[in-house]
Amino acid sequence: MGNHAIGRLRTSVPREFRRPAFWLPLLTYLLYQLNARFGHWPLPPLLTAYLSDLLALPVILTVAVVVQRRWVQRNPLFRLPDSWLVGAWLYVSLWFELALPLLSARHTADLLDVAAYGLGTLFFRWCLNRPA
């Protein structure tokens, strides 16, 4: 791949997706899922119980802020307001920790999952919710 092609790729991939603070949760989640499906290497119980919940909202909210900046607000300086972050945290927490356990016996409610979603939201706020 020549320098011209690399330059084009760099400008076509949103800057938010090129940040290490986005790639760290995404790659960690993908590696965790690969291990769960194929590797089956033993991991600490705390990690297997809460890692996905911790990493979910930084990835989801980064995609949301990219969509807002590119197609809705059309402003690279737009940041998701704190009220939206709280709303996303509440929505995910209520859906996965209240609604799904009521609808299906396969799902269980866990307040520590809610805390993990909250920590992931705070990580997004501090590390990723900044101008492009």
Side-chain angles (χ1 to χ4, degrees):
M1 193 182 278
N3 285 343
H4 185 64
I6 292 172
R8 259 195 329 244
L9 181 63
R10 244 191 190 149
T11 58
S12 65
V13 175
R15 183 174 290 161
E16 297 86 352
F17 293 152
R18 291 184 270 147
R19 291 185 173 149
F22 171 72
W23 281 106
L24 178 66
L26 182 63
L27 289 177
T28 302
Y29 178 77
L30 291 174
L31 289 172
Y32 172 74
Q33 290 301 317
L34 283 172
N35 180 55
R37 306 254 187 293
F38 305 111
H40 306 293
W41 293 299
L43 297 171
L46 192 63
L47 201 62
T48 59
Y50 303 108
L51 183 64
S52 293
D53 302 322
L54 182 67
L55 301 173
L57 279 164
V59 174
I60 293 167
L61 291 169
T62 299
V63 172
V65 80
V66 167
V67 168
Q68 285 291 320
R69 287 176 180 166
R70 301 295 183 285
W71 295 296
V72 179
Q73 304 292 329
R74 298 182 188 267
N75 177 0
L77 302 178
F78 177 78
R79 294 176 51 183
L80 294 179
D82 286 347
S83 60
W84 293 18
L85 300 181
V86 170
W89 170 70
L90 282 173
Y91 178 83
V92 168
S93 296
L94 290 173
W95 177 252
F96 287 103
E97 305 309 321
L98 183 64
L100 279 181
L102 290 173
L103 297 171
S104 169
R106 289 182 38 193
H107 298 89
T108 57
D110 184 350
L111 285 176
L112 290 178
D113 286 345
V114 174
Y117 297 137
L119 289 174
T121 302
L122 289 173
F123 176 82
F124 170 81
R125 183 181 187 273
W126 292 328
C127 299
L128 293 163
N129 196 25
R130 51 194 175 113

